[in-house]
Amino acid sequence: MDVRLTLDEVYQLTTETLTALGASDDNAAAVADVITAAERDDCKSHGLFRLPGYSIALKNGRIDGKSIPEINDLAPAVVQIDAKGGFAPLALKVGRAPLAEKARSQGIAAMPVINSHHFAALWFEVEALAADGLVAFAFVNSRSFVAPAGGSKPLFGTNPMSFGWPRKGKPPLVFDQASSASARGEIMIHKRDGKSIPEGWAVDADGNPTTDPEAGLAGAQLPFGGYKGSAIALMVELMAAGLPRNHLAFEAAADDPGDGGPSKGGELLMAMDPSRFVGDGDADASLDHVEPLFERILGQGGTRLPSDRRYEARKRTPAEGIKIPQKLHDDILAMQDSA
Ligand code: NDP
Ligand code: PYC
């Protein structure tokens, strides 16, 4: 059985749960923004499905729900955000304006986020920058879930990377993809719903291919596209954890109590000002220049642009609302009552 909620109810359920468990209003609002956006855009693996995990980590005192992120100006084109042991969404919200300002003044800028706990989809922060006219990249690692190509033991996180490109008069083009064949959340949802997973997503604890989600979660996820996805997972570790000196996935795994909440880690966000890459300063000309490419993609049957599925969902859900399983709703209310 499912429970239907409006987007306002999703937001309210999230803030009420997190504040009941001790989060500040700012932290609760920042997490509620990303969860509500995920439900609005039909990204179920990073919507309310994640609220019990955020809540458990708060309840355990592992995450500082009252953290106040600190902005550190490290270089003309680098602004670091220290999340101070809190949730990543507030750190990212606080950092957005300083990053955009640096990108506009320097042409390109980077924002390492440290001491954070990331449990969300990355398109949220990338789309916000691209909607503001900047080209953006984000890299996040988590804890060891994915075997390197040829191996069968978890080492990398599911390590997503997201890219955003601004468009005139249209929402940005954004892709956001794990470097594993699937996000871990997708396997968890398959397990919850009693469905098998496609071949190629995971191996079991003995390294044998499996379509059983439980065996896959206990074993290792596989990179997408073999050694190519494995190389991207490696790059994401280096960008998200190497440059900012955050936990590598295997260090995050060693530091994780297995409570189902987000592990400690970081993120690297980058922004580029399209008006600064050609001498004429004409960003519009660069954006216009690539539109025929998008038209040609869409001119071929069976194609779509990444993010179009989300934008279609965004048209429906404000009126239709969203659905979550009754059990998830009950679990969330039980978390509130346990405060
Ligand atoms: P998907 O494989 O579902 O989608 C990846 C990207 O491909 C999306 O941008 C999607 O756009 C696009 N896409 C899908 N199908 C097509 C198509 N036919 N044509 C063109 N584009 C297409 O995502 P993942 O399972 O890899 O990741 C899901 C989410 O999990 C991501 O948002 C990611 O950030 C999050 N995640 C977070 C982690 C963390 O540590 N915080 C770890 C791993 C994942 P669209 O959205 O429009 O479908
Ligand atoms: O779905 O792979 C995932 C994931 C890991 C951390 C947050 N989401």
Side-chain angles (χ1 to χ4, degrees), residues 46 50 119 142 145 158 183-185:
H46 290 81
R50 295 288 174 175
F119 217 32
S142 54
F145 295 131
T158 39
R184 191 165 190 82

Side-chain angles (χ1 to χ4, degrees), residues 46 118 120-122 158 160 175-178 183 304 306-307 309-310:
H46 290 81
H118 204 297
L122 308 196
T158 39
F175 76 70
D176 178 13
Q177 55 195 39
R304 70 168 172 92
S307 58
R309 181 196 61 84
R310 288 193 301 104

Side-chain angles (χ1 to χ4, degrees), residues 45-46 49-50 118-121 140-143 145-146 157-160 178 180 182-188 221 261-263:
S45 63
H46 290 81
F49 176 66
R50 295 288 174 175
H118 204 297
F119 217 32
V140 166
N141 75 328
S142 54
R143 66 179 185 275
F145 295 131
V146 179
T158 39
N159 291 6
S180 39
S182 78
R184 191 165 190 82
E186 286 299 325
I187 303 186
M188 293 161 76
Q221 290 181 243
S263 27

